[in-house]
């Protein structure tokens, strides 16, 4: 059986920011988007379903949306 590959979809207008490192975090609200620290993920263009990069999760934090601070928003 093939190993399941985790994926994260991004709007096309964010791809250049992700590739350059300007955008280096993301917020997810659906449980099926949760990944674990250390997981490798494929980053997908939401319009084309094409992989544009691969990444490794190095940190994860779970918060209520209303509890996000300005610091949490940096790099988003």
């Amino acid at each position: 059986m093939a190993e399941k590959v985790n994926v994260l979809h991004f709007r096309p207008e964010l791809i250049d920011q992700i590739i350059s490192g300007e955008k280096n975090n993301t917020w997810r609200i659906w449980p099926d988007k949760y990944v674990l620290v250390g997981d490798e993920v494929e980053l997908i263009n939401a319009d084309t379903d094409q992989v544009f990069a691969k990444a490794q999760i190095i940190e994860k934090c779970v918060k209520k949306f209303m509890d996000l601070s300005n610091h949490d928003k940096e790099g988003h």
Side-chain angles (χ1 to χ4, degrees):
M1 179 187 295
E3 184 177 325
K4 180 184 174 207
V5 176
N6 289 314
V7 298
L8 296 174
H9 289 83
F10 291 91
R11 295 186 320 262
E13 61 269 20
L14 297 174
I15 292 174
D16 287 342
Q17 294 173 27
I18 293 167
I19 299 270
S20 73
E22 181 182 347
K23 177 175 172 48
N24 57 24
N25 70 54
T26 188
W27 306 331
R28 301 292 157 156
I29 58 174
W30 303 111
D32 64 340
K33 298 293 184 188
Y34 288 0
V35 293
L36 301 174
V37 171
D39 282 356
E40 292 184 8
V41 296
E42 291 184 343
L43 308 183
I44 307 291
N45 179 321
D47 282 358
T48 66
D49 285 329
Q50 297 294 311
V51 175
F52 67 87
K54 293 184 180 183
Q56 184 172 28
I57 305 303
I58 59 171
E59 185 178 2
K60 178 181 171 179
C61 178
V62 178
K63 288 187 175 187
K64 292 181 180 180
F65 193 77
M66 64 186 255
D67 293 335
L68 292 173
S69 68
N70 286 336
H71 176 73
D72 294 322
K73 297 173 187 176
E74 290 175 10
H76 181 347

